[in-house]
């Protein structure tokens, strides 16, 4: 760094001031203005400078601090033992170095660790006397926190009285208060109805909920808790390892994570990290990394502590799912149902290991609520295969020339005038359904997609070519293509053309449920499409159904029934379906001529309605849903009295709770496999 001594000192002071500001926003206000990833980068810069120039290091530096000063609105609590932070690692080499230092210090060749999830929530300390919860406190600045006992007592999963035998005279346990992503969605829906604060992420919502001055408000928030450490336990001396302590907490009735594992050495730690990285998007709650802790308690004591963190534990951060970037432009796109969706073009940035350059803005109300403008610095989030979205705007960095977005008055694809639907306050659509090129293109893309007709090799670029050359005018024309015609397309040799023709031929075998989903009827998703297929059995029967019949179908309300009815009454749709029938698609044939989707023997779950919740070891949610449907089951997205079973994986949420309240049979993964005729898992 080619800076003078004065410039270096100024740089260090600027970083300290920034970090202190962001720490206050995060820990005290529960309203961070930058993503964790950006904060970590600034923190690493300051740490590197203070290590390189120790003469300018200070005890009050953010590098030396834990948390932030507690709010004066809560009574202060002096922690019996300091609530420290953890050192962070961002690369595998950092974990290798951490392990090497520990082995040298402990004079051992191999270390047993406990690997745990680093849940993104709010750290809390719980103190029990004679098994009774007497105090709950936030981390605060590490030495002193806030007394939130009354609020914590409203969290149903935290026992106010420990259960079991050998209750210790005194117990201090620490853990994380958090909220699931679904819990956040439901909370924000209620907040919007009351015109109250909308929370950007589960962590902010959990922290704000725990710091309510009125415990009745906290009681209404979907808060959860997981214990991750024991600081003091008076009366039990025979436990020698951290993992055993966690199991003891579970026996006392305290929630612990089902994902904690004992691992051996660096290889075990890194294998756990890779497994969790794969599993991350299936978890119902946010995590930002994993934590490795020396399992042997005696070795923990010997390893000791540095100023702000234990030497025997480290957090291994996962790739960020939220980062900041700049909005370069905003334009509008036309979807397959004519919905006009604003899309932000971003300065490309890596989020979760994927380069993101665009993010959906959903609708004009979303832009208005978040006040997103061209030129703004924004926080972008991407999780798994979820379309990137802008979480919030960093208003402090808004330039003076930031431009508000003006919603178009005419369709950007066909030029038709845009008018809002009386029943849709936030959605504006192009009504030129059959002559709008953008709607046609998106309809074909949807028709060919994996969950619909699954036409391998028919991607968006190829569909664009087919439309531009007038090879197709709708989805039925796909089945009139030939190898000779396809071979003339750009980057489409004879072999590729033959493969696509084979995929088109195979798609003719798609069952009715997936075919109905492929048609893109408004508000008919996968679940509704399969329900219609099960109810009517054949396309002709569905086309002839009247409104009363459609409304009586499970899970279909009056508005959706009207859309389905209108779709099949439309003459152009009837002609399209006739041409698809002529192309010999199985789903379009009369019931008497339709080939069965599966043999009667395979339909062992026919007539059963199953709801899936939580994370499973042997399936992704999509794969499990597919297999259940192949066995004849109706897979529903909500629990009701008509539900026969609820398949419950790890970290199941509100659906599991509702099933228990209704007395519905809940199956764990082993029981589910038995129901599916697959016996016990291997």
């Amino acid at each position: 760094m080619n800076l003078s001594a004065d410039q270096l000192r100024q740089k260090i002071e600027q970083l300290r001031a920034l970090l202190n500001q962001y720490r206050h926003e995060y820990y005290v206000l529960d309203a961070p203005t930058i993503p964790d990833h950006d904060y970590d980068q600034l923190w690493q810069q300051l740490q590197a400078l203070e290590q390189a120039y120790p003469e300018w290091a200070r005890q009050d530096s953010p590098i030396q601090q834990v948390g932030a000063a507690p709010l004066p609105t809560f009574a202060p609590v002096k922690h019996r033992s300091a609530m420290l932070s953890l050192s962070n690692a961002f690369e595998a080499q950092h974990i290798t170095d951490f392990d090497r230092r520990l082995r040298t210090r402990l004079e051992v060749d191999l270390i047993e660790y406990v690997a745990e999830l680093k849940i993104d929530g709010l750290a809390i300390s719980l103190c029990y006397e004679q098994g009774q919860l007497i105090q709950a406190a936030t981390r605060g600045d590490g030495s002193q926190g806030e007394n939130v006992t009354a609020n914590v007592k409203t969290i149903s999963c935290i026992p106010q009285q420990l259960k079991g035998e050998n209750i210790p005279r005194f117990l201090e346990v620490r853990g994380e208060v958090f909220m699931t992503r679904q819990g956040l969605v439901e909370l924000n829906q209620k907040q919007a109805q009351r015109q109250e604060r909308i929370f950007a992420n589960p962590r902010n919502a959990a922290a704000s909920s725990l710091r309510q001055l009125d415990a009745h408000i906290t009681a209404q928030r979907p808060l959860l808790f997981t214990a991750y450490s024991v600081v003091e336990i008076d009366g039990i001396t025979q436990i020698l390892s951290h993992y055993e302590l966690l199991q003891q907490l579970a026996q006392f009735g305290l929630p612990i994570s089902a994902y904690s594992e004992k691992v051996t050495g660096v290889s075990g730690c890194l294998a756990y990290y890779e497994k969790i990285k794969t599993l991350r998007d299936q978890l119902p709650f946010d995590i930002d990394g994993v934590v490795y802790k020396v399992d042997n308690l005696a070795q923990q004591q010997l390893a000791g502590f540095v100023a702000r963190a234990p030497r025997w534990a480290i957090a291994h951060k996962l790739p960020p799912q939220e980062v900041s970037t700049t909005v370069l432009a905003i334009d509008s796109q036309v979807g397959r149902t004519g919905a006009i969706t604003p899309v932000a073009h971003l300065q490309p940035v890596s989020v979760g290991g994927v380069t993101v350059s665009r993010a959906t803005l959903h609708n004009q109300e979303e832009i208005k609520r978040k006040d997103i403008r061209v030129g703004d610095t924004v926080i972008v989030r991407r999780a798994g295969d979820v379309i990137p979205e802008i979480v919030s705007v960093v208003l402090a960095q808004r330039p003076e020339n930031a431009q508000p977005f003006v919603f178009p008055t005419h369709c950007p694809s066909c030029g038709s005038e845009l008018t809002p639907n009386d029943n849709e306050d936030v959605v504006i659509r192009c009504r030129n359904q059959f002559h709008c090129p953008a709607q046609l293109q998106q309809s074909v893309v949807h028709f060919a997609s994996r969950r619909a007709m699954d036409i391998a090799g028919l991607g968006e670029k190829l569909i664009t070519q087919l439309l531009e050359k007038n090879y197709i005018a709708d989805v039925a024309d796909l089945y009139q293509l030939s190898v000779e015609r396809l071979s003339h397309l750009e980057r489409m040799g004879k072999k590729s053309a033959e493969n696509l023709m084979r995929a088109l031929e195979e798609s003719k075998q798609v069952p009715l449920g997936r075919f109905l989903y492929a048609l893109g009827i408004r508000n008919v998703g996968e679940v509704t499409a399969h329900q219609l297929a099960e109810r009517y059995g054949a396309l002709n029967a569905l086309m002839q159904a009247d409104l009363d019949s459609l409304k009586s179908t499970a899970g279909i309300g009056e508005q959706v029934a009207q859309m389905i009815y209108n779709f099949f009454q439309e003459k152009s749709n009837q002609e399209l379906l006739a041409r698809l029938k002529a192309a010999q698609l199985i789903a379009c044939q009369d019931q008497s001529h339709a080939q069965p989707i599966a043999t009667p023997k395979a339909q062992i779950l026919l007539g059963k309605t199953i709801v899936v919740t939580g994370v499973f070891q042997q399936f992704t949610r999509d794969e499990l849903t597919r297999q259940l449907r192949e066995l004849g089951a109706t897979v529903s997205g909500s629990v009701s009295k008509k539900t026969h079973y609820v398949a419950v994986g790890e970290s199941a949420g509100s659906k599991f709770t509702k099933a228990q309240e209704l007395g519905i049979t809940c199956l764990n993964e082993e029981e589910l496999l038995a129901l599916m005729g697959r016996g016990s898992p291997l």
Side-chain angles (χ1 to χ4, degrees), residues 426-445:
V426 296
V427 179
I428 293 180
R429 297 181 189 276
C430 170
R431 307 297 170 188
N432 189 21
Q433 180 178 357
F434 301 105
H435 300 93
C436 179
Q439 289 186 63
L440 175 57
Q441 181 187 33
Q442 292 305 311
S443 293
V444 180
V445 169

Side-chain angles (χ1 to χ4, degrees), residues 126-128 162 168 170-173 230 232-233 249 252 254:
L126 306 177
C127 292
Y128 290 84
L162 300 181
F170 179 84
L171 171 69
E172 181 178 359
V173 59
V230 173
E232 186 176 344
I233 184 166
L249 292 180
F252 289 153
L254 285 155

Side-chain angles (χ1 to χ4, degrees), residues 667-680:
L667 307 173
N668 61 27
E669 189 160 357
E670 184 174 358
E671 293 166 335
L672 178 63
L673 285 166
L675 182 71
M676 295 168 67
R678 290 179 51 179
S680 299

Side-chain angles (χ1 to χ4, degrees), residues 620-660:
T620 63
R621 290 278 287 274
D622 288 344
E623 176 63 19
L624 177 55
T625 298
R626 183 186 66 76
Q627 290 194 28
L628 288 171
R629 284 179 176 151
E630 287 178 353
L631 294 172
T634 298
V635 181
S636 176
S638 59
V639 179
S640 70
K641 292 180 179 179
K642 296 181 180 180
T643 303
H644 293 92
Y645 302 105
V646 174
V648 181
E650 295 179 354
S651 301
S654 58
K655 294 176 185 177
F656 179 35
T657 303
K658 186 172 182 180
Q660 291 177 311

Side-chain angles (χ1 to χ4, degrees), residues 349-492:
V349 63
S350 179
V351 190
V354 175
T355 299
V356 170
S357 59
R358 303 197 310 170
T360 178
L361 299 179
H362 301 292
N363 51 61
Q364 59 181 341
E365 289 301 317
E366 178 84 354
I367 296 177
K368 182 179 178 181
R369 181 174 68 81
K370 294 180 178 177
D371 191 18
I372 301 169
R373 305 182 184 185
V374 176
D376 274 338
T377 296
V378 294
I379 297 175
V380 180
R381 177 179 176 84
R382 179 187 182 276
D385 294 327
V386 176
I387 298 171
E389 67 167 337
I390 292 177
V391 177
S392 60
V393 175
V394 184
L395 292 174
Q397 297 183 34
R398 169 168 285 169
E400 292 183 1
N401 61 347
Q403 296 295 313
F405 174 68
V406 179
F407 206 84
T409 58
H410 290 75
C411 175
S413 177
C414 67
S416 299
E417 186 175 358
L418 300 176
T419 55
N421 189 316
D422 293 338
N423 297 321
E424 297 176 323
D425 295 330
V426 296
V427 179
I428 293 180
R429 297 181 189 276
C430 170
R431 307 297 170 188
N432 189 21
Q433 180 178 357
F434 301 105
H435 300 93
C436 179
Q439 289 186 63
L440 175 57
Q441 181 187 33
Q442 292 305 311
S443 293
V444 180
V445 169
H446 174 75
F447 185 84
S449 64
R450 182 174 60 85
R451 293 180 178 179
M453 303 301 285
D454 193 18
I455 306 173
L458 187 57
E460 191 164 355
K461 290 183 179 179
L462 180 56
I463 290 170
T464 299
Q465 285 193 70
L466 292 172
L467 290 169
E468 288 176 346
K469 292 183 176 295
N470 295 318
Y471 285 4
I472 63 170
D474 55 35
V475 295
D477 286 342
L478 292 170
Y479 296 97
Q480 304 303 315
L481 294 170
S482 65
V483 171
E484 181 181 2
R485 190 165 233 197
L486 288 170
S487 298
H488 294 301
L489 295 174
E490 183 181 346
R491 298 181 181 178
M492 197 72 176

